[in-house]
Amino acid sequence: MTRGILVAGNESPLLAALAAEAARRVESLAVASIPNRLQEGAPAPEVPVRADAGTSPDSDARISLSWNPGSPISARTVILSAENRLEHVDEALLVCAPPSMRKSVADLPARDVEILVNDHIKGWFLLAKELASVFRSRRAGTLGLVLSDLPSLGGKGEKADLLGPAAQASFRAFSQSLLVSSFDEPYVSLGFSCSGAGEEGPFASFVFKTLDESSRKNNGKWYKFGKFNLFGR
């Protein structure tokens, strides 16, 4: 019986790399993407995801699921849809690599504030809750919390990024609290972060290598990845 893998996050190089790694391991995987509903800003680019040469293109393996992150009903529907298409969800990766929005706070549309909270903060709580319920009832499963922890650097005179750092900080705090409270759960929870630009491919390989080798003794660990920094804590 093949593994059922769900990857959720906004379209980004990191999500693309993780989906490609998953496609090397299974015939099909489910991907739930956060829609870009921001009025302005710098959304992450649409990245065509392909597996390595000699394997099937990830586009053939990828089952796209519709997701409204701010809706509790949609969170449950995503899990049910993934289970229906894959038969079961054994591993789920929640991928935080948010788009940026560089402008002064006075120019920030109120609508975009709502989108930030619903799509890039609230959505993770709702989806993690549904996944935890499924894994707890099955007494098995792996929940991976993956953070692109790139520093928000702007050029001289450039506006600060108001969206990315706020979403990253919320995801990190939520993930670390979830990991601390996971020790008595019957499933495995792991955290991952990478602060190096352009390392999405190696980082994705490391994430799945860790998942492949994980066991109960690794439950609750947070792994930092980088060229000069690779350890679990």
Side-chain angles (χ1 to χ4, degrees), residues 126-174:
L126 297 175
L127 196 58
K129 167 183 166 56
E130 294 297 335
L131 286 165
S133 296
V134 170
F135 291 160
R136 178 184 285 178
S137 65
R138 289 178 50 197
R139 303 195 64 79
T142 300
L143 176 62
L145 303 150
V146 186
L147 172 64
S148 175
D149 201 17
L150 296 176
S152 177
L153 300 176
K156 185 177 180 180
E158 187 177 13
K159 301 293 185 183
D161 180 4
L162 296 178
L163 191 155
Q168 290 167 340
S170 174
F171 185 85
R172 175 184 287 277
F174 170 61

Side-chain angles (χ1 to χ4, degrees), residues 125 145 170-183 189 220 222:
F125 284 76
L145 303 150
S170 174
F171 185 85
R172 175 184 287 277
F174 170 61
S175 298
Q176 291 177 333
S177 295
L178 190 153
L179 294 177
V180 169
S181 63
S182 68
F183 294 108
S189 298
W222 185 284

